Amino acid sequence: MHFITTLLGNLNYGTILFLMLLESTVVPVPSEFVVTPAAYHAASGQLNVWLVVLFATIGADLGASLNYFVALYVGRPVIYRFANSRWGHMCLLNQEKVEKSERYFDNHGVVATLTGRLIPGIRHLISIPAGLARMNYWKFLLYTTIGAGCWHAILAGLGWYLHTIVPEEQLNDKISEYAEYIKLIIIALVIAAIVWFAVKTWMKKKKAA
């Protein structure tokens, strides 16, 4: 992983896009250590924070689309075989994780591609069950973009805030420290999204009746 470490130490719009593309496939790249430091540098004028979020989201869309089409065309047996292989394990992947993402998708329907982008352990895999279920690609891409954009905006906001209180040499430690706060924000956003979609669906059914 020396290559990824090198990229993390040289963040620009291209490396942000590429790292988020990897993170949205099966390569274990922690997005909080990409977008948050990039936004930290943006606060000092080295980058533009809006472009950081934009390129991170484009990268996530590309990586998620790759997962989607692989799942769509190769099917569940091949996905499971890779997850259980040595290469899959090197990517911190196993069949249990794939099955967990499938259960989440089955329980929450197509909205899972939006809310799933905010949940650690599900975020980079939720595109696989979407492909297996042959979800409409453009709807998948829309929900993925919204979910990934929200996640990256949260991380960018954290990075911008940390610039005001933390010297750069302490940045990674502070990101780890704030991880619990990020999880709380994620939980709140996911609950809000699920409730919103549930209410919207209920109102449509009521109107139709």
Side-chain angles (χ1 to χ4, degrees), residues 8 15 31 34 41 48 51-52 55 71-72 78 99 103-104 117 141 143 170 190 201:
L8 288 171
T15 55
S31 53
V34 178
H41 295 149
N48 181 294
L51 291 181
V52 167
F55 279 93
L72 178 68
V78 177
E99 289 176 340
R103 286 194 299 271
Y104 185 86
R117 295 296 311 184
L141 185 61
Y143 286 174
Q170 297 177 15
V190 169
T201 301

Side-chain angles (χ1 to χ4, degrees), residues 3-128:
F3 173 63
I4 292 177
T5 303
T6 301
L7 292 180
L8 288 171
N10 296 274
L11 290 174
N12 54 52
Y13 301 125
T15 55
I16 291 168
L17 185 150
F18 181 65
L19 287 167
M20 289 300 91
L21 184 156
L22 294 181
E23 192 259 356
S24 286
T25 55
V26 294
V27 181
V29 178
S31 53
E32 57 268 33
F33 290 101
V34 178
V35 180
T36 306
Y40 183 96
H41 295 149
S44 63
Q46 298 177 45
L47 296 168
N48 181 294
V49 70
W50 300 108
L51 291 181
V52 167
V53 174
L54 175 63
F55 279 93
T57 303
I58 292 173
D61 283 346
L62 292 173
S65 295
L66 180 60
N67 271 6
Y68 172 92
F69 285 113
V70 168
L72 178 68
Y73 289 113
V74 306
R76 186 175 286 101
V78 177
I79 295 292
Y80 282 3
R81 196 176 306 130
F82 174 77
N84 290 323
S85 70
R86 182 166 63 91
W87 289 102
H89 293 163
M90 287 177 63
C91 294
L92 305 182
L93 191 63
N94 56 48
Q95 184 172 327
E96 182 182 355
K97 289 182 178 179
V98 178
E99 289 176 340
K100 181 180 178 182
S101 68
E102 286 195 81
R103 286 194 299 271
Y104 185 86
F105 184 88
D106 291 340
N107 291 336
H108 298 88
V110 294
V111 70
T113 55
L114 190 161
T115 58
R117 295 296 311 184
L118 301 169
I119 302 176
I122 295 288
R123 181 168 57 247
H124 65 300
L125 297 177
I126 196 63
S127 49
I128 293 176

Side-chain angles (χ1 to χ4, degrees), residues 125-173:
L125 297 177
I126 196 63
S127 49
I128 293 176
L132 292 174
R134 298 184 175 276
M135 177 182 176
N136 177 274
Y137 174 71
W138 297 110
K139 184 179 289 186
F140 162 79
L141 185 61
L142 173 63
Y143 286 174
T144 297
T145 301
I146 295 172
C150 288
W151 171 240
H152 296 145
I154 291 170
L155 295 181
L158 175 62
W160 192 275
Y161 167 70
L162 289 178
H163 183 266
T164 65
I165 63 171
V166 177
E168 187 167 359
E169 59 270 17
Q170 297 177 15
L171 179 59
N172 286 344
D173 290 336

